[in-house]
Each structure stands twice: as structure tokens, then as C-alpha cells.
Amino acid sequence: MEFKYVRIQGRELSYVTKYPKGIFAMCWRKIYDGVMEDADAELFKEINAWFEENLPIPDVCESGTEPVITYFKVATTAHMREKIAPAMDMIHSDFLTRDFSLSELAAICKMGESYFQKLFKEIYGISPKKYIIQLKINHACDLLRLERYTVTQIAELCNFSDVYFFSRQFKEYMGITPTQFVNKYKSSR
């Protein structure tokens, strides 16, 4: 089983306590204040040592200039993918025929919008909206290679609201316009 861990060292002070944020900072504060039992303190030190050895503090945080929060997460990618599978099934079956709202995708997975979006981005590296646009652009590339349709027809077939929006999105993702793509494809054959 492969686990995904994330650890970011906190540098910001909490607004309320004026101490560094995060569970590790909180535990160290309890040790320094003499509030934590000796056995618990030793256990925490072992856990912290494991994290320092296996999950070193990111270089950007070593300087102490980046205000970030401490957290760690354990999950398998397969488990995370399983949680959003209903939305992915819907997206892949209907992305050419309809638009999706974030609330609709989150609801089908039985989770809140912000958690769904965070989980989606963690798995795929982009937002659900950008993922859907990429699917449409990939399909448009396939249609452009066929040389049977105009750019306007392809925009409609790929469920873009208008040809100008399609062309802007295509250029953003592909680095060239749809027409340039066709010309490049023709010249490479």
C-alpha cells in the first residue's frame, strides 16, 4: 500500500495564542510549558523524529520566511480516487453534452464543495473546471485532425459556449490557435 504524506512546518503565530500554529508546534509548546506528561512527551518526540527523518521540512520553510501552517495527511491515492469516482464517471460520460457545477459534482460524491475541490486538485493537480476544459480540448484536437469540421462546428461539438471562448481556451492549453493546430498537423504528415 502506498501512502501520501504531506508535512509543512508552521512559521506564523496564531492570532489568539501568539504561538506558532499547528499540531507539532502545539505539542512542543505543551512540553516547554511542562503541561504534557513525560510518557506523552517521549512518544511525541519519537513521532516528531520519525517525521524529521522521513518527511523533512521543505527547503522553502528552512529559512523561516514562508508563513505556512503545519499539517500532515495520510491517504492512498486509490482511496482518494474512489471517493470522487461518481463525479469522474459523470464528467467522462457527459462532458460533451452538458456543463457541470461544482456543487453538483460534490453532491454526487456526498461531500462539501471545498473538500471535493481540494481532493480533486490533490489527485489531478488542477481544478475540476480546468480538467473538463482539458477533456474538451483533447477531444477538439481529435476532431481537428479529422479535417471534417470547421472550428465553429468543433466548438459546438465540444460543448463550448461560442467559438471565441473555444479559441481562447484552445490557445491557452495548446499554445497555438485551432487553425494553427490544423496547419501544423497537415505539414507534419
Side-chain angles (χ1 to χ4, degrees):
M1 181 183 288
E2 201 171 304
F3 289 97
K4 179 174 183 174
Y5 297 93
V6 178
R7 180 184 186 200
I8 301 176
Q9 189 63 39
R11 298 288 184 199
E12 265 184 355
L13 297 183
S14 165
Y15 177 76
V16 177
T17 65
K18 305 300 181 215
Y19 292 118
K21 293 179 185 177
I23 192 71
F24 284 80
M26 182 186 74
C27 289
W28 280 116
R29 176 55 43 200
K30 287 184 176 276
I31 290 170
Y32 294 140
D33 291 345
V35 177
M36 191 180 282
E37 304 259 339
D38 289 341
D40 292 336
E42 289 308 311
L43 177 61
F44 169 73
K45 288 176 184 176
E46 285 179 36
I47 292 169
N48 188 63
W50 182 89
F51 271 91
E52 285 178 355
E53 181 181 327
N54 294 286
L55 303 165
I57 297 169
D59 293 339
V60 73
C61 299
E62 284 293 335
S63 65
T65 58
E66 293 293 319
V68 291
I69 300 168
T70 302
Y71 70 96
F72 65 94
K73 178 177 187 164
V74 181
T76 64
T77 304
H79 179 69
M80 293 188 306
R81 286 180 192 272
E82 208 174 277
K83 283 182 157 186
I84 65 167
M88 295 307 292
D89 292 343
M90 183 191 298
I91 288 169
H92 283 274
S93 67
D94 297 341
F95 75 94
L96 293 173
T97 58
R98 59 186 291 256
D99 294 323
F100 304 95
S101 68
L102 184 60
S103 59
E104 176 185 19
L105 295 172
I108 198 168
C109 295
K110 297 178 175 69
M111 59 181 73
E113 288 178 36
S114 60
Y115 180 66
F116 172 79
Q117 187 156 4
K118 181 181 176 186
L119 196 58
F120 193 100
K121 192 165 186 172
E122 197 169 317
I123 295 168
Y124 294 101
I126 55 175
S127 70
K129 182 178 180 178
K130 286 186 177 183
Y131 181 86
I132 293 166
I133 290 171
Q134 278 188 350
L135 286 176
K136 291 178 177 184
I137 296 297
N138 289 339
H139 186 67
C141 288
D142 293 339
L143 294 174
L144 286 166
R145 284 186 198 98
L146 293 175
E147 300 180 42
R148 291 186 199 148
Y149 306 100
T150 66
V151 173
T152 303
Q153 289 171 323
I154 291 173
E156 287 177 25
L157 290 169
C158 293
N159 195 30
F160 282 95
S161 55
D162 63 65
V163 69
Y164 303 107
F165 180 68
F166 165 65
S167 293
R168 282 193 313 273
Q169 292 299 307
F170 192 95
K171 185 167 185 173
E172 182 180 323
Y173 283 87
M174 300 301 294
I176 56 177
T177 66
T179 306
Q180 290 169 330
F181 180 87
V182 170
N183 293 337
K184 190 175 179 180
Y185 176 72
K186 283 180 183 177
S187 68
S188 69
R189 287 188 296 165

